[in-house]
Amino acid sequence: MNILIVDDIEANLLLLQAFLSSIENIEIFESLSAEDAIKITAQTPIDLILSDIKMPEMDGFGFAEVLRANPATKDIPFIFISAYSDYEKRGYDFGAIDYIAKPVDGDVLVSKVKNYIKIITLQRSLEAQNNYVNLLLNSSNEVQIIIDKHSLILNYNTQAKNLFENISKGITLFELFDWEEGNARKLKSFINSVSLDPKSTQIFHKKKNHYKVSYKVLDAKQYMISIFDV
């Protein structure tokens, strides 16, 4: 985890670094100006920024504006650190996730940074899971629909949209089935049984095409329904 601290007073940087040194698995980058900090973010992937506000030339608010204007840095979370209490609201208006008052309480600073590291790590884990699910969805020529244990549709791919014109997130799988000749009942029966027999399949037809349905468990809360033309 790369953390960038920005302050125009070197003694403040040394103090912040001393506080943060107790946190494991982080690398600390330092900058005495917003301009130099911008160069660091362009060269190094930064995970969290702690920035002073009142600095010469470019202040912390200007620094935040530059970060937000750049697609490569717009999502980096940052915390403002300042001795000026009237800056707190403006800090949040500029997108800060937190505001820490000077003089800095080292215990509070470390606790907050540790919590944000946990949040960032969890967020990345969820993003990785979503990326994996999207890869599964979009790498297949089959209809892929992800549902929860209540058959609520959580995600689907383009092929699913082509087969089910009325598909959308947030509706149940059963709401898709308006087919004639008993196909809806057959498919509903299959969906009701998926939690009992992971090897079960169902053949049904629509518009003269025959389809096969199967499923697999992604985790305790998600199932992937696969439908393909046979």
Side-chain angles (χ1 to χ4, degrees), residues 1-124:
M1 191 74 67
N2 294 333
I3 298 178
L4 171 62
I5 52 178
V6 187
D7 199 301
D8 62 307
I9 299 175
E10 188 170 3
N12 290 340
L13 288 180
L14 292 173
L15 183 63
L16 292 174
Q17 184 181 43
F19 289 146
L20 297 175
S21 63
S22 65
I23 303 176
E24 297 180 351
N25 300 320
I26 67 168
E27 186 169 355
I28 301 171
F29 295 80
E30 303 174 9
S31 175
L32 286 166
S33 70
E35 293 84 355
D36 183 52
I38 292 169
K39 294 178 182 178
I40 293 174
T41 61
Q43 299 169 354
T44 306
I46 298 297
D47 302 294
L48 179 65
I49 296 174
L50 283 69
S51 177
D52 187 24
I53 294 178
K54 194 171 179 60
M55 296 183 289
E57 298 183 22
M58 182 184 294
D59 64 10
F61 298 136
F63 177 40
E65 283 188 314
V66 172
L67 290 176
R68 293 296 169 257
N70 184 347
T73 59
K74 66 181 181 67
D75 294 323
I76 300 176
F78 63 92
I79 299 171
F80 278 134
I81 301 176
S82 178
Y84 298 88
S85 59
D86 55 333
Y87 282 169
E88 183 172 359
K89 182 183 181 304
R90 287 189 64 195
Y92 288 118
D93 290 341
F94 274 87
I97 60 172
D98 208 336
Y99 179 95
I100 297 176
K102 291 181 179 180
V104 175
D105 183 316
D107 292 334
V108 172
L109 174 71
V110 170
S111 294
K112 287 191 173 187
V113 170
K114 283 183 176 179
N115 283 335
Y116 285 121
I117 288 174
K118 289 179 182 177
I119 292 170
I120 292 167
T121 303
L122 177 60
Q123 183 180 26
R124 288 180 177 174

Side-chain angles (χ1 to χ4, degrees), residues 161-173:
K161 183 65 178 177
N162 293 336
L163 184 61
F164 303 100
E165 296 177 358
N166 61 327
I167 193 171
S168 65
K169 295 178 184 179
I171 67 172
T172 65
L173 199 61

